[in-house]
Amino acid sequence: EIVLTQSPGTLPLSPGERATLSCRASQSVSSSHLAWYQQKPGQAPRLLVYGASSRATGIPDRFSGSGSGTDFTLTISRLEPEDFAVYYCQQFGSSPTFGPGTKVDIK
Amino acid sequence: QVQLVESGGGVVQPGRSLRLSCAASGFTFNIYAIHWVRQAPGKGLEWVAVISSDGSNKFYADSVKGRFTISRDNSQNTLFLQMNSLRAEDTAVYYCARDGTSATPSYYFDYWGQGTLVTVSS
């Protein structure tokens, strides 16, 4: 099973700042098999990025994904108030697994 | 618009069974694989199972293999999850989620339901 590690666990930032979230895999993951989700309290997850760098339908361009191999990054260029949430990466090259999440908190 | 609505959750004793349903609308149900993903209270996400668009292929996480059965009724645009021999560690919100691509499953999830809570407790 591919284990995903996300860092940091919590990221305290202010609106307007840039957020950089990391996802590291225990073994190489095809770039086409890496996705990012956003989850707010009491809500279902929402797909942000698939294929490591393709934004899902309706996702603002302040969200961008990058990376390859074992290291992937989700960047939020300028945080809006609605972006404070938990973010999960997911690999689907083998049996799908999720990372433990990064909480983007208001500083 | 794409909608997925789960139902059937509740409180159940360990060792008993429960059947979840997921009603789909707003898209052509019979060309998409559909998944179940769960989230224990305050925890992260865990993929549970997937069923192919025509129902002929099913795959499960090791944690539920042999206890859970995924099925679908394409005539009713509905997905099911039969959960037997339930354990305390199965307590979670269960989401149904559409696969990101039609036809061959890609195993990422582009639309999710709101979830239904299953609590396994004596």
Side-chain angles (χ1 to χ4, degrees), chain B residues 46-57:
Chain B
E46 180 188 17
W47 173 80
V48 172
V50 62
I51 186 167
S52 61
S53 56
D54 64 359
S56 61
N57 292 298

Side-chain angles (χ1 to χ4, degrees), chain B:
Chain B
Q1 72 281 22
V2 174
Q3 275 202 309
L4 298 164
V5 180
E6 302 92 339
S7 60
V11 180
V12 61
Q13 293 179 328
R16 304 298 290 264
S17 299
L18 203 61
R19 189 194 199 204
L20 305 183
S21 299
C22 169
S25 61
F27 66 101
T28 305
F29 184 71
N30 63 10
I31 64 171
Y32 284 90
I34 309 290
H35 303 257
W36 287 101
V37 179
R38 68 184 180 183
Q39 186 170 35
K43 302 297 184 182
L45 299 163
E46 180 188 17
W47 173 80
V48 172
V50 62
I51 186 167
S52 61
S53 56
D54 64 359
S56 61
N57 292 298
K58 307 171 186 181
F59 298 97
Y60 301 91
D62 288 344
S63 58
V64 306
K65 203 173 292 183
R67 300 188 299 122
F68 289 12
T69 301
I70 189 171
S71 61
R72 65 192 294 164
D73 183 344
N74 283 348
S75 69
Q76 297 294 318
N77 289 354
T78 305
L79 174 76
F80 303 100
L81 186 68
Q82 178 67 42
M83 304 185 295
N84 298 334
S85 303
L86 282 161
R87 306 166 180 167
E89 54 265 36
D90 296 318
T91 294
V93 174
Y94 284 74
Y95 297 100
C96 60
R98 192 181 81 167
D99 193 88
T101 57
S102 60
T104 305
S106 58
Y107 284 79
Y108 69 92
F109 319 112
D110 63 350
Y111 288 95
W112 299 62
Q114 87 289 348
T116 187
L117 176 62
V118 173
T119 303
V120 183
S121 173
S122 54

